[in-house]
Amino acid sequence: MKIVRTFATSANLGPGFDCLGICFDLYNEYEFFLSDKYTIEGFSEKFSNPSDNLIVKSYEKVFLLKNKKIQFLTIRQKIQNIPVSRGLGSSASCIVAGIIMANEILGGILSKDEIFQIASMIEGHPDNVLPALVGGLCAAFMAHEKYYYKKYIPSSRLQFYSLIPPFELKTELSRSVLPKMYNRCDVIANLSRIVNLPSAFIDGDIELLKAIFDDKIHEPYRYKLIEHSLDVKTYFKDYAVAISGAGSSLLVIGDKVIELDKIYDFKIVKVIVDNNGVEIYEC
């Protein structure tokens, strides 16, 4: 039997809407082995049917793309640390797990780039699946029907915290509040910030990060969906604060330790950047 370990991610990072993401040490583990039919164990009832399980869907996608006969699996979720629908890449975790399982069963026929391309195609954008695959801070874009990326290693001086509320926020709802059109000033504001974001992470420059984390494209419309999020942002005025992915969690970055365990209804979880990404090992 083998186990796939997939990690949490936080996408967007303020101005990096749909193109930036970072990998954290919160992880899920999935055990898998060949079987005569699909058996799904350890998942919530919502995801216990193979036809509703994103790992299975992603697994089968590889077989279809490679024109291979699907081989059934038993899949057991052994560890779940990534909360669902909280903006920490739970869907990306499943997509990456399914592709890695398929690649293992098919004898490692996929290159790292092929895995990235397939994962991004399934997800629809690369900002969560990419850091889950390769770790670190990642920037990605599409050109000529192909995804490209660059990986960076953030400074160890930075302290990262996921602030996780008790309520979910579906990506569909979070995207539905965004405008269809943006004015030029807002677009320029984001562009001027995002070009400096990787160096701010690499240098551990919290003052620069605080200035960069002033998004104009998605956060002004999404904060209203997350109760007390603006109160939290005001409280942590000495830190860089952003919505994690599409929400409902928040990401807080600073150069000093946060002593609190909770603020309002947000559980404060210290996280560490994982610079390696998905793992697979024998059990």
Side-chain angles (χ1 to χ4, degrees):
M1 284 180 277
K2 294 193 175 182
I3 289 180
V4 174
R5 175 180 288 180
T6 55
F7 292 89
T9 56
S10 183
N12 300 325
L13 303 178
F17 182 57
D18 276 3
C19 62
L20 288 178
I22 194 167
C23 184
F24 292 130
D25 62 342
L26 292 177
Y27 63 85
N28 291 353
E29 283 193 346
Y30 308 99
E31 181 181 72
F32 69 100
F33 53 89
L34 287 171
S35 184
D36 59 355
K37 64 177 182 178
Y38 280 128
T39 303
I40 309 298
E41 301 176 355
F43 292 80
S44 66
E45 184 178 352
K46 181 179 179 181
F47 304 114
S48 60
N49 190 318
S51 62
D52 298 322
N53 189 289
L54 188 54
I55 295 177
V56 174
K57 291 179 180 179
S58 303
Y59 172 82
E60 291 186 341
K61 186 68 172 179
V62 176
F63 282 81
L64 293 172
L65 289 171
K66 291 298 180 179
N67 197 28
K68 301 289 186 180
K69 182 180 178 181
I70 292 171
Q71 302 181 56
F72 299 122
L73 294 179
T74 290
I75 302 173
R76 296 189 182 121
Q77 181 169 253
K78 297 180 70 68
I79 296 174
Q80 184 193 4
N81 292 321
I82 306 172
V84 176
S85 296
R86 299 298 203 285
L88 286 167
S90 59
S91 294
S93 167
C94 292
I95 291 169
V96 169
I99 296 172
I100 295 297
M101 290 176 190
N103 191 46
E104 187 68 22
I105 295 298
L106 290 171
I109 64 173
L110 299 175
S111 67
K112 184 168 72 171
D113 184 65
E114 284 181 297
I115 294 171
F116 168 48
Q117 300 298 327
I118 294 170
S120 299
M121 176 182 63
I122 295 171
E123 178 81 346
H125 39 84
D127 51 344
N128 273 311
V129 293
L130 174 57
L133 281 169
V134 303
L137 169 69
C138 298
F141 66 96
M142 175 183 264
H144 312 298
E145 299 184 351
K146 180 180 178 179
Y147 289 98
Y148 297 82
Y149 77 90
K150 181 71 175 178
K151 173 183 170 181
Y152 307 92
I153 305 299
S155 169
S156 60
R157 293 195 299 271
L158 295 174
Q159 306 287 321
F160 295 86
Y161 297 86
S162 288
L163 274 61
I164 307 171
F167 56 88
E168 297 182 359
L169 179 55
K170 298 296 184 183
T171 301
E172 294 81 4
L173 174 59
S174 192
R175 284 189 176 269
S176 71
V177 301
L178 302 182
K180 304 284 186 193
M181 304 282 289
Y182 293 95
N183 69 58
R184 184 184 301 174
C185 291
D186 287 345
V187 173
I188 292 172
N190 267 44
L191 290 173
S192 63
R193 285 165 172 76
I194 197 171
V195 294
N196 291 296
L197 189 145
S199 63
F201 272 94
I202 292 167
D203 296 340
D205 190 336
I206 190 61
E207 291 303 317
L208 182 56
L209 274 177
K210 284 163 56 180
I212 287 171
F213 274 27
D214 183 22
D215 171 72
K216 306 296 183 184
I217 299 298
H218 69 107
E219 289 191 341
Y221 310 97
R222 289 173 163 174
Y223 272 121
K224 63 185 179 183
L225 301 175
I226 307 171
E227 188 175 8
H228 293 303
S229 56
L230 290 176
D231 297 321
V232 170
K233 188 172 183 177
T234 299
Y235 182 88
F236 289 111
K237 64 183 187 308
D238 294 329
Y239 294 76
V241 181
I243 296 174
S244 183
S248 56
S249 296
L250 304 178
L251 175 64
V252 177
I253 308 171
D255 55 4
K256 49 185 177 291
V257 174
I258 294 175
E259 302 290 351
L260 297 175
D261 295 323
K262 189 174 183 180
I263 183 169
Y264 295 99
D265 288 330
F266 293 83
K267 180 183 178 182
I268 301 176
V269 179
K270 189 179 191 312
V271 290
I272 298 170
V273 175
D274 177 88
N275 288 310
N276 299 309
V278 62
E279 300 172 1
I280 183 167
Y281 59 93
E282 299 274 358
C283 63

